[in-house]
Amino acid sequence: MSGTPRASRTAVLVCQGRAAAHALIAPGRFADPTALTLLRPDEREAVQWVRDGVPPRTWRQRIDYETVRAAAELMAPRTIAIDDAIRAHPAPQLVILGAGLDGRAWRMPELAGVAVFEVDQPATQQDKRERAAGLPGTPRFVPVDFGRDGLARALAAHGHRADLATTWVWEGVVPYLTRAEVAATVAELATCSAPGSRLVVNFQSPATSTALGRVVARLLTASTGRSSVWANEPWRSTWTSAAMAALLTRHGWTVTRDEDLLGTARALGLPVRRGTSLRHSRVLVADHP
């Protein structure tokens, strides 16, 4: 992505959402015990408010509470859908594109013996390394700027094998890339995806209501005297299911599943308060024959 490199603030919000949802939303189906560990003490405060279910009284704290609560309600179904796709299609390699503060390398027993690569921009990755210092073992960190660096070359330099099947997880990244950057990344994935590979991609479908919601969220945060977590990480592209499927098909992928998170949440029996956000966040699974 363009702009001055800095550690991602949206990565922290995603991690806060997972920490708040841990074993509370969809218990038995969703758990992320690593999330709280990856947060700094001041970032854990709003998580605890949400877990306690007690909204704070001050305006500034209430905005933080509502932001993290909304993230928790989104992250539970999104994480479950992606984890299920990983479990259903074992591969010797897993690459997490735009990993942020993802905890899969530590929390998923199914990945024991799997070579896990985390790809992210250097500043966010360095922040992740510091936060994860207390966790046992590490994935293979691969610093990459999706808008400028050669993904296949960087992965190969860190031990990724293009002749072995790979499960690619592309979660929460596509909206922050331009359409050209998304297309270029898909083209690169095709060059290092052996038969039997799987791509799990999360993207946003076009929706005026979602765009307006993000504007409102930024204004509410501004009312507390702070900048929004999205101030330096704006959305740059949305995709219809047909457009994303067509792009993947051109590069040899076969779409096997495409679902919105509202359907996922309802299938899990989760209470839905923000149906619009869930409806326009999608998880698509595609396999490389």
Side-chain angles (χ1 to χ4, degrees), residues 92-249:
Q93 303 177 119
L94 175 75
V95 178
I96 305 174
L97 302 168
L101 298 179
D102 191 290
R104 288 184 173 92
W106 295 277
R107 68 172 176 78
M108 290 188 71
E110 296 87 354
L111 298 180
V114 173
V116 179
F117 301 82
E118 290 201 0
V119 178
D120 216 329
Q121 58 105 338
T124 296
Q125 199 160 82
Q126 181 56 42
D127 183 49
K128 170 74 167 287
R129 285 175 176 268
E130 294 169 3
R131 292 168 180 266
L135 293 171
T138 60
R140 304 184 194 185
F141 291 108
V142 185
V144 167
D145 185 314
F146 285 102
R148 292 192 292 262
D149 298 334
L151 176 60
R153 185 173 61 253
L155 278 167
H158 287 79
H160 179 263
R161 291 179 53 181
D163 62 327
L164 295 179
T166 301
T167 296
W168 306 90
V169 174
W170 205 5
E171 178 185 9
V173 179
V174 168
Y176 302 99
L177 304 176
T178 65
R179 295 182 74 85
E181 288 169 344
V182 172
T185 301
V186 171
E188 276 221 82
L189 295 186
T191 69
C192 49
S193 292
S197 293
R198 165 167 284 195
L199 171 61
V200 187
V201 56
N202 162 237
F203 62 97
Q204 295 291 324
S205 59
T208 301
S209 57
T210 304
L212 288 174
R214 286 173 65 83
V215 171
V216 170
R218 291 183 66 168
L219 290 173
L220 287 172
T221 303
S223 73
T224 69
R226 296 170 295 170
S227 63
S228 166
V229 295
W230 300 288
N232 295 299
E233 299 173 67
W235 279 3
R236 292 184 167 89
S237 69
T238 56
W239 296 76
T240 64
S241 288
M244 181 59 72
L247 172 63
L248 297 179
T249 300

Side-chain angles (χ1 to χ4, degrees), residues 32-132:
D32 188 349
T34 67
L36 198 64
T37 301
L38 291 169
L39 294 173
R40 304 196 190 283
D42 61 313
E43 297 160 351
R44 297 173 186 170
E45 190 173 27
V47 169
Q48 195 58 53
W49 296 333
V50 174
R51 291 185 64 81
D52 291 342
V54 181
R57 292 186 177 183
T58 71
W59 176 249
R60 180 169 178 160
Q61 292 176 335
R62 183 60 183 264
I63 294 299
D64 291 344
Y65 169 88
E66 295 294 346
T67 301
V68 172
R69 183 166 71 161
E73 293 173 358
L74 173 68
M75 293 315 304
R78 190 171 98 179
T79 305
I80 290 169
I82 294 172
D83 286 358
D84 284 353
I86 295 170
R87 294 188 184 102
H89 193 86
Q93 303 177 119
L94 175 75
V95 178
I96 305 174
L97 302 168
L101 298 179
D102 191 290
R104 288 184 173 92
W106 295 277
R107 68 172 176 78
M108 290 188 71
E110 296 87 354
L111 298 180
V114 173
V116 179
F117 301 82
E118 290 201 0
V119 178
D120 216 329
Q121 58 105 338
T124 296
Q125 199 160 82
Q126 181 56 42
D127 183 49
K128 170 74 167 287
R129 285 175 176 268
E130 294 169 3
R131 292 168 180 266

